[in-house]
Amino acid sequence: MPKQRVQDIQSKGSRPRVVTTKTVTTMKQTGEKIAMLTAYDFLVAKLLDQVGIDVILVGDSLGNVVQGYETTLPVTVDDMIYHAKAVKRAVKNALIVVDMPFMSYQNSVDEAVRNCGRVMKEVGVGAVKLEGGAYIAEIVKHLVKIGIPVMGHLGLTPQAINKFGTYEVRAQDKKEADELVRDAKVLADAGVFAIVLEKIPSSLAKKVTASIPVPTIGIGAGPHCDGQVLVVYDMLGMTEEFRPRFVRRYGEFAESLRSAFNSYIKDVKSQQFPTMKESY
Ligand code: KIV
């Protein structure tokens, strides 16, 4: 992109509050809901930051919506760093959290430190997000101890799709629900500053939210969480076939884009673009 255009975008709008992990934790105490959305590129991140989003998640959902994979499993640490760097260049105020991809942290504390450390050092973001319950508590504890803030993620954790076998609502039976409440407490004790709860019953999300001191951020987890997150392309109506009930659409961008592309093709074919006014 030409330098002038980057500067134009960067100069529009501003907001006073710089959001840190501490801000997010405090929002639970003050009762201010946390608004989080995903971003994977400079332009979307810039717009989100301009309008005052609290948290931008560079989600490994980029494996689905940017790279076109069926699952998030093929995403690499290098992929995350590439996208997170683009987001980072755009953001002045929002807290940026980067998802750690499948098999970049589960195997050992050493591996988690190496990969999360790369993300923090090479990109300069505020925190990482790890999927998983009590079994990653030791890893979380160590990361937090050495200065790497961690957001947890429980419920429908997409990196475990091969274990689950479906993207259905999780923790509908008592055993899994009890385990999720225990996991949330263990993660909070291990030092996470927030926990994403994905696709679980809203009554369970309410219970978890009331039982831990750190904020919960729901996606398909109902209204009682301390905040909400959606995949940005879902809420913009770009992922047309993906219509779960938890996605509220705030635009029909697939249709708008198709219409714009069609108009362009028509104008080029009919020689209505460019005019002399659009030429030098
Ligand atoms: O990868 C992602 O976008 C996520 C959100 C759905 C929470 O983990």
Side-chain angles (χ1 to χ4, degrees):
M1 182 185 296
K3 204 163 175 229
Q4 185 59 48
R5 285 196 56 202
V6 173
Q7 281 164 353
D8 283 350
I9 293 158
Q10 282 175 335
S11 66
K12 283 198 189 106
S14 65
R15 78 191 268 277
R17 182 171 69 173
V18 172
V19 181
T20 65
T21 54
K22 179 116 178 81
T23 320
V24 170
T25 310
T26 306
M27 286 165 82
K28 181 175 181 111
Q29 287 138 28
T30 60
E32 180 184 347
K33 294 283 184 182
I34 301 154
M36 171 160 121
L37 282 170
T38 66
Y40 319 101
D41 68 278
F42 176 85
L43 278 176
V44 170
K46 190 76 221 163
L47 293 171
L48 289 177
D49 198 51
Q50 279 175 1
V51 299
I53 197 83
D54 297 309
V55 185
I56 295 178
L57 172 66
V58 186
D60 64 351
S61 51
L62 68 84
N64 306 114
V65 295
V66 178
Q67 297 175 321
Y69 291 121
E70 281 206 1
T71 73
T72 57
L73 272 63
V75 177
T76 65
V77 175
D78 285 341
D79 292 337
M80 296 310 300
I81 289 176
Y82 173 88
H83 288 278
K85 278 184 172 174
V87 167
K88 169 73 182 172
R89 281 179 213 118
V91 172
K92 289 197 175 80
N93 297 307
L95 172 68
I96 305 173
V97 179
V98 177
D99 248 343
M100 294 308 296
F102 182 59
M103 292 316 294
S104 68
Y105 60 90
Q106 294 93 336
N107 204 28
S108 68
V109 170
D110 280 357
E111 203 167 12
V113 168
R114 196 164 44 249
N115 286 319
C116 297
R118 268 195 73 197
V119 169
M120 298 296 288
K121 213 171 158 72
E122 292 178 32
V123 190
V125 293
V128 295
K129 176 163 82 59
L130 311 185
E131 295 183 9
Y135 62 92
I136 60 160
E138 283 313 306
I139 290 168
V140 171
K141 228 182 255 177
H142 192 75
L143 290 171
V144 173
K145 194 162 73 190
I146 63 171
I148 301 181
V150 178
M151 177 179 277
H153 186 159
L154 294 171
L156 178 60
T157 45
Q159 290 173 19
I161 186 58
N162 290 311
K163 182 175 84 176
F164 297 148
T166 105
Y167 286 100
E168 284 307 301
V169 179
R170 300 304 313 172
Q172 299 195 74
D173 62 73
K174 185 167 167 10
K175 185 167 171 282
E176 196 177 326
D178 288 348
E179 191 182 331
L180 194 143
V181 175
R182 273 197 305 276
D183 280 344
K185 286 182 181 159
V186 171
L187 286 179
D189 286 346
V192 296
F193 71 94
I195 300 178
V196 168
L197 297 177
E198 180 161 353
K199 223 172 171 187
I200 60 171
S202 61
S203 55
L204 176 60
K206 185 178 183 183
K207 185 171 172 187
V208 173
T209 301
S211 63
I212 56 172
V214 297
T216 58
I217 302 181
I219 173 164
H224 306 295
C225 296
D226 299 301
Q228 298 293 327
V229 57
L230 286 173
V231 168
V232 76
Y233 293 154
D234 294 343
M235 59 86 79
L236 291 176
M238 300 267 288
T239 48
E240 284 179 300
E241 295 84 28
F242 186 61
R243 300 227 67 159
R245 77 156 88 152
F246 68 81
V247 174
R248 182 180 295 179
R249 285 199 179 167
Y250 290 85
E252 294 297 338
F253 277 66
E255 198 41 54
S256 305
L257 290 176
R258 245 193 317 266
S259 163
F261 299 151
N262 271 324
S263 300
Y264 170 76
I265 293 168
K266 198 167 128 265
D267 286 354
V268 171
K269 301 279 182 194
S270 64
Q271 299 179 42
Q272 290 183 63
F273 175 79
T275 61
M276 283 318 289
K277 265 174 107 178
E278 291 159 322
S279 307
Y280 297 98

